[in-house]
Amino acid sequence: VVDELTVEEQTRVRRFSERQVVDRAALDEILRVSLMAHVAVVRDGVPVVLPFACAPDGDALLLHGSTAAGVLRAGREGAPIAVAVTLLDGLVVARSAFDNSMNYRSLMVLGVPEALEGEDKARALNRLTDHLLPGRVDEVPPSTRRELAATTVLRLRLDRCSVKVRTGPPTSSADPEDTGDPEDDGGEGSVWAGVLPLAVTAGDPVPSPDVPAGIPVPASVRAAAVRLRPPTE
Ligand SMILES: Cc1cc2nc3c(=O)[nH]c(=O)nc-3n(C[C@H](O)[C@H](O)[C@H](O)COP(=O)(O)OP(=O)(O)OC[C@H]3O[C@@H](n4cnc5c(N)ncnc54)[C@H](O)[C@@H]3O)c2cc1C
């Protein structure tokens, strides 16, 4: 696992290139808290993008689903895929609609995934389950042979990827030269601007109707809820 991400032509952010982050730790943090990725593939000449659960696995990203899922099948058959993982951190409210923005941590990965089989596949599925619900693998029976056979697991190495991050208050593209007066902000200072923070948070667990009274919420579900709490300053 490298400390710094390599930027190549296809993974170089062009717009606001100063927002590209090459620190590997930023990538790890995005994957640590992300539950979902959007996976794109070109199928019969047409681009398709669909959301999937995801989990980090060392120097790779894991995806899984039904063997019948089209995007996963294409990846299994050797098609290149692009994966986007996005954490939306806030609505950035500027003094003009033009300058509105979003705060985010965003990861994009390109590559041809490897389809896992046998022990590797079973291990990867456990890893996915434990990423979404930490410790759940030890609370339920192991996957059956039939379940394993019905599931595709793809492992995409994080060799070709980029991270882009926007933080902080709105910026203005208003140019004082428009009026010739460097003090003239067009009265904009009187208009509210700032950030509306956003985050995915967990609600209270809701038991299935057939769960007998008195069965406690398992540790895995409590752990998943804790992980989604916003970091305390
Ligand atoms: C939640 C969210 C909302 C956004 N909303 C808008 C919007 O409304 N309008 C808009 O123009 N842009 C928006 N962006 C930014 C957008 O994702 C691109 O960064 C932007 O279009 C500029 O891309 P580019 O031309 O520099 O790169 P491109 O030439 O399009 O891509 C070159 C390479 O740069 C890297 N890259 C580019 N963007 C990202 C990214 N976000 N994360 C990781 N790697 C990246 C990839 O490796 C890509 O292959 C948003 C981003 C996020 C995360």
Side-chain angles (χ1 to χ4, degrees):
V1 176
V2 293
D3 290 341
E4 203 163 282
L5 306 172
T6 309
V7 179
E8 52 177 280
E9 199 41 32
Q10 276 185 301
T11 55
R12 188 169 58 77
V13 173
R14 273 109 179 148
R15 298 259 307 129
F16 298 105
S17 54
E18 70 283 4
R19 294 181 186 161
Q20 179 150 22
V21 178
V22 295
D23 185 2
R24 166 75 203 220
L27 178 154
D28 288 334
E29 178 56 16
I30 293 172
L31 290 181
R32 188 185 71 78
V33 294
S34 293
L35 308 178
M36 192 188 70
H38 283 88
V39 182
V41 69
V42 175
R43 223 165 41 192
D44 302 327
V46 179
V48 182
V49 59
L50 290 172
F52 289 89
C54 67
D57 185 31
D59 59 0
L61 178 73
L62 297 174
L63 303 163
H64 81 315
S66 161
T67 46
V71 164
L72 295 181
R73 199 170 58 227
R76 198 175 61 217
E77 289 167 358
I81 60 173
V83 178
V85 181
T86 313
L87 293 167
L88 184 54
D89 293 328
L91 278 179
V92 178
V93 186
R95 292 195 173 90
S96 72
F98 181 85
D99 287 322
N100 283 347
S101 188
M102 287 178 166
N103 280 341
Y104 56 78
R105 289 160 289 159
S106 165
L107 163 67
M108 213 221 45
V109 195
L110 300 171
V112 176
E114 176 193 4
L116 301 182
E117 297 298 341
E119 273 303 302
D120 291 342
K121 182 176 180 177
R123 186 197 58 80
L125 281 172
N126 285 346
R127 182 145 184 82
L128 269 154
T129 301
D130 270 349
H131 176 67
L132 304 176
L133 295 159
R136 187 63 174 165
V137 165
D138 295 330
E139 295 172 350
V140 292
S143 300
T144 63
R145 261 208 308 242
R146 215 171 125 199
E147 288 168 344
L148 287 170
T151 308
T152 292
V153 182
L154 299 183
R155 189 172 193 274
L156 180 64
R157 288 181 58 85
L158 298 164
D159 293 337
R160 302 180 67 211
C161 59
S162 56
V163 172
K164 188 175 177 184
V165 175
R166 189 200 187 283
T167 57
T171 50
S172 170
S173 56
D175 186 345
E177 285 181 5
D178 287 350
T179 59
D181 177 0
E183 299 297 315
D184 181 7
D185 67 359
E188 286 182 336
S190 57
V191 179
W192 192 91
V195 173
L196 178 64
L198 299 174
V200 173
T201 55
D204 291 333
V206 180
S208 292
D210 57 357
V211 172
I215 302 238
V217 174
S220 62
V221 175
R222 284 186 277 118
V226 167
R227 197 188 45 179
L228 288 173
R229 266 192 212 136
T232 45
E233 295 291 323

